[in-house]
Structure formats: structure tokens, C-alpha cells
Amino acid sequence: MAPAPAPWAVLGDALWCLGLGCLLAAARDALRLALGEGKLRCFLRDAAFFAAAAVLICGFAAGTSAGGLARWYMSAAVLLGALCWHWAVQPAVHRAASMLAVLLLGPLHAAHKMLLQPLQDRAAQARTVRKSRKTAKKSRKTQNSAEKQLQKPSIILYN
């Protein structure tokens, strides 16, 4: 059995793994935003990120860790890092992204409101006028045809 690493080394490994967990959760969140939701997509994405977490932990343990072995606290730190992303960082990032989208799309919205909306309103008004004229014309035709079908008053017989 390998000797236990020094406490400072354990703390350093845990901090590295916290960062890896945050990075992994950020990548998962970005992929969720890019591909959307769905049962199969969620399952495949979660399975892929579970495998990626295992590879990250083993790779970190082999390459950078003070002890050179994967230990239980590394997995716990990756999980804690992912949870920290989900609870602490993700809401702020999403809020900042939505505010940035509002700032960037604000001029386009204003241009649409000033330039395109009046044109769309005029087109809709013209459509309704054309439709009302067409229905009026159609109703006049049906009235004329009904009048044409009536017999002459001189031919109508009364009992």
C-alpha cells in the first residue's frame, strides 16, 4: 500500500480536482445549451461526462498528483467542483450571458421596431382591407345571384 501523502499535497490535489470538476460541469452546461434537452441526449451526455471525469481523475493522478495514485478525495473533489458550478457559478454565468444578449440584440430590436414593424403593420392592414373587399364582393355576388334566381313578380301565382 502506498504511503499517505502530506496534508499540503492532499489539499493541492483537492483544489486541482475542484477546478477540474468546475471545468467539466462548464463543458457539460455548454454542450447542453448547444444541443438542447431530451431524454436520450441527457443520458448520453451524462454517460460521456462520467467517463470524462474518470479519465480526468486518472490522468491527473498519473501526471500531476503528489502521490501518483487516484484517491477517493479526488473523486469527491471533482463532484464538489461540479456541484459548485451548478449552484454558484452557473446562475451568474447564465444571467451575464442573457444580459449580454440583451445588450447586443437591443439595437437590432430597436431597428426592427422603428423600421420593419410599421411596414409589417401596413402590410397587415392592406391584407385586411383586401380581405374585407373580397368578402364584400363575394356577398354582393351571392345577393345578385339570389336576385336573379327569383321569378318575375308577374309569374308568381298566389293561391
Side-chain angles (χ1 to χ4, degrees):
M1 189 150 154
W8 60 268
V10 170
L11 182 64
D13 289 349
L15 289 176
W16 270 98
C17 289
L18 273 171
L20 287 174
C22 276
L23 183 66
L24 193 64
R28 182 185 179 281
D29 190 38
L31 192 64
R32 181 185 62 84
L33 289 174
L35 298 180
E37 293 292 327
K39 290 181 181 180
L40 182 61
R41 281 182 272 190
C42 281
F43 173 75
L44 293 175
R45 184 176 55 236
D46 288 343
F49 279 98
F50 179 77
V55 168
L56 278 174
I57 290 171
C58 291
F60 170 74
T64 311
S65 174
L69 298 171
R71 299 191 183 263
W72 67 270
Y73 57 84
M74 292 179 186
S75 297
V78 168
L79 176 65
L80 186 62
L83 291 176
C84 286
W85 171 267
H86 181 69
W87 287 330
V89 181
Q90 182 185 22
V93 169
H94 283 217
R95 198 174 316 114
S98 68
M99 290 171 62
L100 182 65
V102 166
L103 286 175
L104 291 177
L105 296 176
L108 291 176
H109 180 68
H112 175 268
K113 201 171 188 180
M114 289 189 312
L115 300 174
L116 294 177
Q117 191 66 39
L119 295 175
Q120 289 175 344
D121 291 343
R122 287 181 189 164
Q125 186 179 15
R127 262 186 258 118
T128 56
V129 167
R130 276 194 307 261
K131 190 174 182 180
S132 65
R133 285 182 186 165
K134 190 175 183 179
T135 57
K137 187 176 180 181
K138 196 179 272 189
S139 67
R140 275 186 276 151
K141 280 186 178 181
T142 57
Q143 286 175 357
N144 289 340
S145 64
E147 290 173 1
K148 289 179 184 177
Q149 290 177 359
L150 293 176
Q151 295 178 353
K152 294 181 184 177
S154 61
I155 299 177
I156 297 176
L157 301 175
Y158 294 100
N159 289 337

